[in-house]
């Protein structure tokens, strides 16, 4: 015997006799009321087809109200889920106040027009999210993760402040609307500093490589907070680039740089995901890759596609985080085994992927000509191939479903995606969002070839033959050791 008791007590239990707080219920009802109001505002905005302004501080356009609907819906789900998830927790009230505060700040951010208000809310948004990452104050790893996140978010806020200040000075306009309509005189060193700071701020907020470690360290946040983070917070990078699209699209070289930054994260995110075994860590690496896709779409000039991607990915990732516990319970050894695809599986996967890309091209008009739209269609094809392959390879599923029903499930999903993309693009039609030159260049061809090569390397397992690569990926997919719980005794919620 080592002298340890069989049932170790970690911390003290909450006082069950204490009066239950009304704050969670009140804030949950309030956020759902905001969702209903946002839907009504979206309907009114579509009918009016105009921008509503409050002095030089707020500008409410189609993109604003669309994001209000998305943010309040996801926040409402998180609030409702958390009422049971955090019931009895010592941090319940603080959690709900922080989550509702985060929702309010994001709603203000997407409607802010004055650069001072926008920059201030951007900074506050990051600080509130860092508070959620370190919510459990008795857990030293959570405090360390919060410090990591806070440093990144402060850096992002400083970069954004630099960019906004430079653009204000260069154009003489204190509002985003004014800056984006006065791009004719932009250029030179001041513009280059501003656009570089904008892109870096977006990369940090969206956890693109090499700034992804804060996201991997954020697993100390309660699972509902992780859902809100991955469904909303990381999307801020795409929103930032979309709001300042006329500024970043002045020079094609900058757009190429954005494409390459997004492509690198999309490819490496998939590789990092392949070496993680824990559910939340796998989801975090997946988010790194998906945010890379989003930023890459913005770099291609398809800002409507970037907004569509962040909306649909947000719903998808929120669902997966909130059902993470169920996934752990459902998975048992051998239950979801995967074998080789076989000739039939390969044929079904390839045909479904190609058909998905063709369907998207026909419904959206993208990729029908030899231009940058082909890269956008390629993203759809690769994504469809990956999703189809994962289902076809699961030998636990009936063969009829694996081979016969796959096209009838995935092709309608692609059609829905294309229709949502068209609707979002229509809603953004009157905004100062440019369609950057999309001529097919050598950069686009290299990126496309890289995607195809990386996809084949991962799916065939070729990359696993290199021990050095495996170790490098394993190291890159883990956060700082200070943020990782290694002993149960280190965790004390109370």
């Amino acid at each position: 015997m080592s002298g340890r008791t069989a049932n170790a007590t970690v911390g003290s239990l909450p006082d069950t006799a204490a009066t239950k707080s009304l704050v969670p219920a009140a804030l949950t009802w309030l956020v759902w009321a905001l969702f209903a109001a946002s839907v009504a505002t979206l309907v009114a905005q579509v009918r009016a087809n105009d921008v509503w302004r409050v002095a030089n501080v707020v500008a409410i356009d189609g993109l604003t109200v669309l994001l209000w609907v998305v943010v309040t819906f996801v926040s409402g789900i998180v609030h409702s889920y958390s009422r049971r998830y955090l019931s009895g927790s010592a941090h319940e009230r603080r959690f709900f106040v922080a989550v509702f505060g985060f929702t309010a700040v994001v709603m203000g951010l997407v409607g802010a027009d004055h650069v001072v208000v926008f920059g201030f809310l951007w900074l506050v948004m990051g600080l509130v999210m860092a508070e959620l990452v370190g919510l459990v104050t008795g857990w030293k790893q959570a405090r360390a993760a919060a410090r990591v996140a806070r440093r990144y978010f402060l850096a992002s806020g400083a970069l954004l402040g630099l960019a906004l200040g430079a653009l204000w000075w260069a154009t003489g306009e204190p509002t985003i609307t004014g800056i984006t309509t006065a791009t004719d005189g932009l250029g030179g060193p001041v513009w280059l500093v501003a656009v570089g700071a904008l892109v870096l701020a977006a990369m940090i907020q969206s956890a693109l490589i090499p700034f992804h470690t804060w996201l991997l360290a954020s697993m100390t946040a309660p699972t509902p907070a992780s859902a809100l983070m991955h469904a909303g917070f990381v999307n801020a990078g795409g929103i930032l680039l979309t709001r300042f699209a006329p500024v970043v699209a002045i020079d094609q070289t900058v757009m190429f740089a954005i494409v390459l930054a997004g492509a690198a994260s999309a490819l490496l995110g998939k590789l990092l995901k392949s070496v993680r075994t824990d559910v939340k860590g796998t989801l975090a690496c997946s988010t790194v890759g998906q945010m890379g896709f989003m930023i890459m779409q913005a770099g291609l000039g398809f800002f409507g596609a970037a907004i569509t991607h962040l909306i649909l990915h947000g719903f998808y990732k929120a669902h997966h985080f909130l059902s993470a516990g169920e996934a752990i319970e459902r998975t048992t050894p051998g239950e979801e085994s995967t074998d080789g695809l076989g000739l039939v599986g390969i044929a079904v996967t390839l045909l479904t992927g190609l058909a998905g890309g063709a369907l998207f091209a026909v419904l959206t008009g993208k990729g029908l000509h030899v231009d940058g739209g082909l890269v956008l269609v390629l993203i759809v094809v690769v994504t469809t191939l990956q999703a189809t392959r994962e289902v076809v390879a699961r030998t636990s599923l009936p063969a009829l479903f694996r081979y016969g029903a796959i096209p009838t499930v995935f092709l309608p999903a692609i059609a829905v995606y294309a229709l949502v993309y068209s609707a979002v693009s229509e809603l953004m039609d009157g905004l100062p969002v440019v369609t950057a030159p999309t001529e097919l260049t050598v950069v686009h061809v290299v990126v496309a070839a890289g995607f195809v090569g990386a996809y084949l390397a991962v799916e065939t397992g070729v990359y696993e033959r290199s021990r050095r690569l495996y170790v490098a990926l394993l190291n890159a997919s883990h956060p700082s050791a200070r943020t990782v719980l290694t002993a149960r005794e280190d965790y004390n919620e109370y």
Side-chain angles (χ1 to χ4, degrees), residues 63 67 110 232 235-244 294 307 310:
L63 179 59
L67 294 175
V110 298
N235 294 326
I239 296 171
L240 179 63
L241 293 181
T242 300
R243 281 299 188 196
F244 289 90
M294 178 189 68
I307 296 297
L310 69 86

Side-chain angles (χ1 to χ4, degrees), residues 381-406:
V381 172
V382 171
T383 303
T384 307
L385 285 173
Q386 181 179 350
T388 305
R389 191 262 183 202
E390 290 180 358
V391 176
V392 171
R394 296 189 183 278
T395 57
S396 60
L397 296 176
L400 179 63
F401 177 81
R402 292 167 59 205
Y403 299 134
I406 288 297

Side-chain angles (χ1 to χ4, degrees), residues 221-232:
T223 296
S226 295
L228 192 64
M229 178 192 302
H230 289 254

